[in-house]
Amino acid sequence: REDWSKWFAYSKGVHMPNAKAWRPADRTLPAHSDDWPCLRDGQIYDWKTWDLPNRCIVASGQKGRNPRIYVWRILCPRGETSVVSQVLSKMNIGPKRREVGQLSFNSQGSLLVALSQDMEHHLTVFDWRNQTKLREGLGHGGPVECVIFNPFSASAFATCGQKHLKFWELGDTELEVAVGLFGDLGEPIDSYCIAFHPRGLTLSGNEKGEIYVWSNGVVTAKYPRAHKGKVMGLLYVEGVALFSVGIGGYVCMWDPDLKDTVNPIGMIDLRSFFRKGSAALLQRLSGRSMDWTTDESVMR
């Protein structure tokens, strides 16, 4: 199990029905057929219908005049080198959109939102299985750093960037947006990352090393001096901790109930994983993003 956990941290394409009985031959994605029926509780169990939490479906975007988005399944480690047979869906975000800057699946894995790096930073929501465009809207006039679906909602997502944080919802005919208010606790500065809390709260990391807590579209609390520099990544793991990473090279762990906003429950110095070198370079070390594997003891 220990060996499998380490392997899974580097490749999320493992089909793992039983961790104790795992073998190298189990690194396959099950496909339903007459010869090999895949059933669970009497229902067809096929990788094409897997939701995102199973971590076998990936989306990637292009840069160009008419950039495309590809949704594909992870290659099986059997010597396959071509992704032609792995592609599940192809979509265009439209001409003059320059490039696909960010992508995010919703909690059910059925919708995909794309951020375009054009002047208006368009947002486009796709039903990727049917390769159809559902909604489209203008993101922001300035730079947008992040777009992410709320994992506790099937249709809500948020964006942040230059002096803003916006909350989005799929309306009946168009995207509905509410602009976040910084209030008395916050100030309109650049934000770089977003995370969501199961109590309906939203968290954002900004350029001053602070973490804002948003409730009903308003900043209601903040983590002062969470990092020495910009907060570049946030990750909430229910029942474990709120993780933050940024300029300075530290990963901080905070109370999962968000009760203590001053003292972290743990810290990891990323510089300890590198050989000794230039002190100036080590001081510039920064984390960018984090992910949590299905093994409760492994964070990447």
Side-chain angles (χ1 to χ4, degrees):
R1 180 178 175 84
E2 181 180 357
D3 293 339
W4 167 78
S5 301
K6 293 179 181 179
W7 196 91
F8 193 92
Y10 292 97
S11 177
K12 301 175 185 177
V14 182
H15 170 49
M16 193 60 198
N18 187 346
K20 295 182 179 179
W22 181 81
R23 301 169 302 164
D26 293 331
R27 297 178 183 174
T28 58
L29 297 173
H32 179 85
S33 66
D34 294 335
D35 296 331
W36 300 96
C38 301
L39 301 176
R40 175 186 286 178
D41 298 329
Q43 302 295 323
I44 294 178
Y45 180 53
D46 196 327
W47 60 266
K48 291 183 178 180
T49 60
W50 280 10
D51 292 334
L52 187 63
N54 291 279
R55 302 187 176 209
C56 70
I57 305 298
V58 178
S60 58
Q62 291 180 332
K63 179 178 180 180
R65 293 184 178 179
N66 191 14
R68 280 187 174 185
I69 297 172
Y70 289 85
V71 179
W72 44 281
R73 67 179 177 93
I74 295 175
L75 291 170
C76 299
R78 290 182 171 180
E80 298 180 64
T81 58
S82 174
V83 298
V84 174
S85 61
Q86 328 299 128
V87 175
L88 307 179
S89 179
K90 299 178 184 179
M91 296 159 290
N92 291 329
I93 61 174
K96 299 181 180 179
R97 296 295 169 83
R98 297 185 180 179
E99 64 178 286
V100 180
Q102 294 274 334
L103 293 166
S104 178
F105 287 100
N106 71 338
S107 58
Q108 299 177 350
S110 58
L111 303 179
L112 179 68
V113 60
L115 168 66
S116 306
Q117 293 292 7
D118 56 350
M119 296 299 292
E120 291 82 17
H121 297 90
H122 281 82
L123 294 167
T124 310
V125 180
F126 294 94
D127 177 354
W128 65 267
R129 287 191 174 96
N130 296 317
Q131 303 184 43
T132 57
K133 185 184 298 185
L134 300 181
R135 303 286 188 276
E136 189 173 29
L138 302 180
H140 191 66
V144 179
E145 300 289 343
C146 176
V147 58
I148 182 171
F149 260 107
N150 187 339
F152 307 103
S153 171
S155 59
F157 62 94
T159 60
C160 70
Q162 186 182 58
K163 300 181 180 181
H164 80 280
L165 190 143
K166 294 183 179 181
F167 302 91
W168 302 80
E169 183 79 31
L170 269 68
D172 294 335
T173 58
E174 58 185 15
L175 287 176
E176 299 176 355
V177 58
V179 180
L181 302 176
F182 290 91
D184 297 331
L185 286 177
E187 56 180 302
I189 55 179
D190 296 352
S191 300
Y192 295 94
C193 53
I194 301 172
F196 295 94
H197 192 274
R199 294 207 309 260
L201 304 175
T202 304
L203 303 108
S204 65
N206 61 42
E207 62 179 334
K208 291 183 64 176
E210 299 174 333
I211 300 173
Y212 286 169
V213 182
W214 303 73
S215 177
N216 296 321
V218 182
V219 176
T220 57
K222 70 177 181 180
Y223 291 67
R225 300 181 299 278
H227 289 269
K228 295 181 179 180
K230 301 175 183 177
V231 180
M232 304 299 294
L234 289 173
L235 174 67
Y236 179 80
V237 182
E238 190 170 2
V240 180
L242 167 68
F243 296 89
S244 63
V245 65
I247 303 296
Y250 285 95
V251 177
C252 296
M253 302 169 57
W254 305 90
D255 177 31
D257 295 325
L258 311 183
K259 294 179 179 179
D260 191 346
T261 61
V262 178
N263 303 307
I265 60 177
M267 298 180 68
I268 302 172
D269 188 354
L270 297 178
R271 292 171 294 184
S272 63
F273 295 95
F274 293 85
R275 295 181 178 180
K276 293 183 179 180
S278 170
L281 290 177
L282 289 178
Q283 289 296 328
R284 296 171 59 185
L285 183 66
S286 171
R288 185 62 182 89
S289 62
M290 296 168 287
D291 195 13
W292 192 264
T293 73
T294 54
D295 188 302
E296 296 181 355
S297 62
V298 181
M299 185 184 76
R300 183 179 179 186

